[in-house]
Amino acid sequence: MGKKKKRSHVGDIRLFSGSASSELAHKIAEHLDLPLEGHDLVCFPNENLFVKLHSSVRGQDCYVIQTTSSPVHNNFMELLITLQTLRLDSAARVTAVVPYLCYARSDKKDQPRVPITARLVADMISSEADRYMTFDLHAGQIQGFFSIPGDVLSSFSILTDHLKALLPNMYQPVVVTADLGFAKKARNFAESLQTPLALIEKRRTGNDARAKAMGIIGEINDHDVILVDDEIDTGGSIAEAVHLVKQFGARDVYIVFVHAVLSLNAAERLAALPVKQFICTDTIPIPPDKAAAFGDRLTVLTIADLLAEVILRANQGRSVGALFDE
Ligand code: R5P
């Protein structure tokens, strides 16, 4: 007797790749053994975007995979327009799969007369999608800005599994965070890797991207250092941190981060640092010229298999939390 197909009340999975995440979307599709659905994306001379689906999605479970890295506003509008197109075509359910969520650092009013743009972004996604998925939000509380349910996933086990394989070659490794906002997560890294933890105090001097590393809490002299952070944007924070740990007697330095924003000349800036290895994920694709700057010191770990599994479970109405316990 043939295997009974598990039917989902939200229809079959339909995967759509946004233009910012095509490599990741292809990997997810391959893992699920499903095609990427065809659609046209047109940019008119006035810069307005237009989307047309190649076939109907009525009654189907649709996933739009689109990260919101540079060019941020184009990619974000493309995401919203694609979500709306699917909704208007009577999809049973539409999920925004946004591996890197833009504006996540604008998550509070920490000075008078400023916006909370992460809330605005969440509102706009919530207005067009039924659900969302994202990775390693800058602050967990951003989940509360969404009025739709979502899966905020973590690349923690992907990164720590890789680091565990490197540990035997490290000398007295210590996990260090360059950002006190990342301290709890850094502690989880240290616990998982069974290493001590040290913290760098960093201050931003204005609303521009400048960061200054002030001092270190913890012992790093004569240790290999694993510097962890959620994202590297201009590379300013991490460059300061590397100089500081070297000044305090660190041996080899490894830089581990989730989101490779790598704005401006960050890639060249990082590549010039005395760092043994850079390890990150593919929530944001790294353009070949930027990747080339790192040579063989860059390792990009994929989130595709995890995301594919989560999409499958979401479609089948199975627990995603249980996946992380398995
Ligand atoms: C800050 O809060 C984040 O955790 C990162 O430390 C920050 O985004 C890095 O920015 P940059 O690379 O521009 O210093």
Side-chain angles (χ1 to χ4, degrees):
M1 205 163 51
K3 220 174 165 188
K4 244 189 189 171
K5 192 179 170 209
K6 190 162 184 178
R7 290 204 69 81
S8 161
H9 64 291
V10 287
D12 292 334
I13 297 174
R14 294 276 187 268
L15 297 173
F16 289 84
S17 167
S19 58
S21 288
S22 74
E23 202 178 321
L24 180 66
H26 273 97
K27 285 185 187 163
I28 292 170
E30 202 176 307
H31 184 106
L32 292 173
D33 199 16
L34 288 171
L36 287 172
E37 301 299 322
H39 69 290
D40 297 328
L41 172 70
V42 180
C43 182
F44 292 118
N46 63 1
E47 294 180 22
N48 289 191
L49 298 175
F50 173 78
V51 168
K52 181 164 171 59
L53 309 178
H54 288 181
S55 54
S56 166
V57 293
R58 186 178 293 274
Q60 303 302 306
D61 188 21
C62 299
Y63 296 81
V64 182
I65 302 151
Q66 169 79 329
T67 206
T68 51
S69 55
S70 175
V72 174
H73 301 123
N74 249 44
N75 288 337
F76 186 58
M77 277 310 292
E78 182 190 328
L79 169 69
L80 293 177
I81 294 168
T82 311
L83 293 170
Q84 194 214 37
T85 310
L86 295 165
R87 188 170 61 75
L88 295 180
D89 197 49
S90 305
R93 188 171 70 170
V94 180
T95 300
V97 181
V98 191
Y100 169 72
L101 187 73
C102 59
Y103 285 103
R105 282 158 71 188
S106 175
D107 60 352
K108 58 185 152 318
K109 280 192 74 170
D110 52 3
Q111 52 184 303
R113 301 179 295 280
V114 296
I116 304 178
T117 318
R119 169 64 200 251
L120 184 61
V121 163
D123 278 345
M124 288 194 275
I125 293 175
S126 302
S127 77
E128 297 309 325
D130 300 297
R131 304 189 80 259
Y132 71 98
M133 290 177 187
T134 190
F135 266 83
D136 295 285
L137 276 178
H138 181 62
Q141 294 88 326
I142 293 171
Q143 292 167 56
F145 294 169
F146 286 87
S147 55
I148 52 174
D151 293 302
V152 177
L153 307 166
S154 173
S155 57
F156 179 78
S157 56
I158 296 172
L159 294 170
T160 51
D161 283 353
H162 183 79
L163 286 167
K164 280 175 191 164
L166 298 180
L167 279 180
N169 299 322
M170 293 190 194
Y171 182 77
Q172 302 194 133
V174 54
V175 167
V176 179
T177 175
D179 181 7
L180 290 181
F182 200 69
K184 270 191 186 168
K185 287 190 180 154
R187 189 190 57 199
N188 296 340
F189 270 90
E191 264 175 24
S192 168
L193 301 175
Q194 299 183 308
T195 72
L197 173 69
L199 308 170
I200 293 180
E201 195 207 356
K202 172 184 84 173
R203 285 192 204 153
R204 289 200 183 272
T205 45
N207 286 325
D208 58 15
R210 274 173 300 138
K212 178 99 192 115
M214 312 292 287
I216 297 183
I217 306 162
E219 186 52 58
I220 59 159
N221 183 33
D222 206 28
H223 287 264
D224 279 354
V225 159
I226 305 169
L227 261 171
V228 291
D229 208 342
D230 59 341
E231 69 174 54
I232 295 188
D233 181 0
T234 63
S237 310
I238 220 75
E240 284 276 331
V242 170
H243 294 313
L244 198 72
V245 295
K246 279 290 182 187
Q247 202 179 309
F248 277 70
R251 293 166 66 112
D252 287 342
V253 178
Y254 297 76
I255 294 184
V256 180
F257 56 109
V258 181
H259 306 297
V261 181
L262 303 182
S263 312
L264 307 173
N265 64 341
E268 293 76 23
R269 190 180 195 177
L270 293 177
L273 295 171
V275 168
K276 186 152 176 141
Q277 275 193 46
F278 298 88
I279 298 154
C280 66
T281 75
D282 58 355
T283 57
I284 297 175
I286 304 179
D289 57 320
K290 291 195 178 185
F294 296 94
D296 59 4
R297 288 186 295 158
L298 177 68
T299 302
V300 181
L301 304 171
T302 190
I303 55 162
D305 297 347
L306 176 57
L307 211 34
E309 196 56 37
V310 171
I311 288 172
L312 192 62
R313 282 174 183 247
N315 175 259
Q316 295 172 341
R318 288 161 62 209
S319 166
V320 168
L323 177 63
F324 293 90
D325 302 332
E326 282 164 11

